[in-house]
Amino acid sequence: LAGWVSALAAAVLPQWRQSSYAGDAIITAVGLHEGLWMSCAAQSTGQVQCRLHDSLLSLEVHIQTSRALMVVSLLLGFFGIIVSVVGMKCTKVGEEDPVTKGRIAVAGGVLFILSGLCTLSAVSLYATQVTYEFFRESTIPINARYEFGSALFVGWGAASLSMLGGSLLCCSCPAKERRGQQYHHQPQPSTAREYV
């Protein structure tokens, strides 16, 4: 659950990349932040102005891909939460059979792992593009380029938590629960009397 909430926060935050303050001198008093949905400018006075991205199709490919992966990640995580709650032993929802409950919990764990992998892919793809643009040979001075924003680190943490939680849910294997419940049926001696 913490991984899903962190992924939601990472998707909404506009700090996927931010102005770099590397170099000899800061050439502007305005710090720029860009995210998947908007770009913001923070002035040295503390005033922040944000603007939503106008067109979806005019965005760069890595932003569109990261957006799609984060939306898929959030949907998978949401369904993972619902399935996991149904599969928990402490809930009365669904089947009463512990083997079926265990299988449902494993399905929720798989959804969480897939959600974490989507988050990890989106954040890593965006980080790769930021790194490429930062070190690329360009006439833009180094203190006018972009570097990693805080949302990327939140996204990496969210991916780790989701995959860890999904792995723990997958460890509730129903085969172990069934081993102790197997009984051997032995035939009872007949008590009926035979009359001649």
Side-chain angles (χ1 to χ4, degrees):
L1 184 62
W4 186 80
V5 171
S6 301
L8 179 63
V12 172
L13 283 173
Q15 286 95 2
W16 280 60
R17 67 178 185 170
Q18 63 187 13
S19 299
S20 175
Y21 295 106
D24 297 332
I26 298 174
I27 60 173
T28 178
V30 178
L32 300 176
H33 304 284
E34 286 191 16
L36 298 179
W37 312 100
M38 66 181 70
S39 56
C40 298
Q43 314 233 345
S44 57
T45 58
Q47 187 178 15
V48 179
Q49 295 175 336
C50 293
R51 182 175 63 89
L52 292 172
H53 295 309
D54 295 329
S55 171
L56 173 66
L57 298 178
S58 67
L59 291 173
E60 297 175 29
V61 176
H62 73 280
I63 297 178
Q64 293 182 21
T65 308
S66 295
R67 265 188 183 187
L69 285 168
M70 287 304 291
V71 169
V72 169
S73 169
L74 291 173
L75 287 174
L76 286 172
F78 179 73
F79 289 124
I81 291 170
I82 293 173
V83 171
S84 298
V85 167
V86 172
M88 293 173 100
K89 294 178 184 175
C90 60
T91 59
K92 300 291 183 186
V93 183
E95 299 286 336
E96 296 297 327
D97 183 20
V99 174
T100 307
K101 289 277 243 187
R103 288 181 180 151
I104 294 172
V106 169
V110 170
L111 288 173
F112 273 122
I113 290 173
L114 291 175
S115 171
L117 287 174
C118 286
T119 303
L120 182 66
S121 301
V123 174
S124 298
L125 174 69
Y126 199 96
T128 302
Q129 186 66 27
V130 170
T131 305
Y132 170 73
E133 290 176 1
F134 187 85
F135 290 109
R136 180 179 58 181
E137 291 294 329
S138 176
T139 57
I140 301 172
I142 195 168
N143 53 6
R145 298 179 191 177
Y146 288 97
E147 58 187 32
F148 294 168
S150 56
L152 292 181
F153 299 103
V154 173
W156 278 315
S160 302
L161 286 173
S162 293
M163 289 191 290
L164 177 64
S167 301
L168 291 175
L169 279 171
C170 286
C171 288
S172 60
C173 185
K176 291 180 182 175
E177 296 174 11
R178 195 157 195 170
R179 278 185 199 149
Q181 298 176 358
Q182 291 178 349
Y183 298 103
H184 297 289
H185 180 68
Q186 296 178 352
Q188 298 279 336
S190 176
T191 58
R193 295 181 182 173
E194 295 180 8
Y195 296 100
V196 180

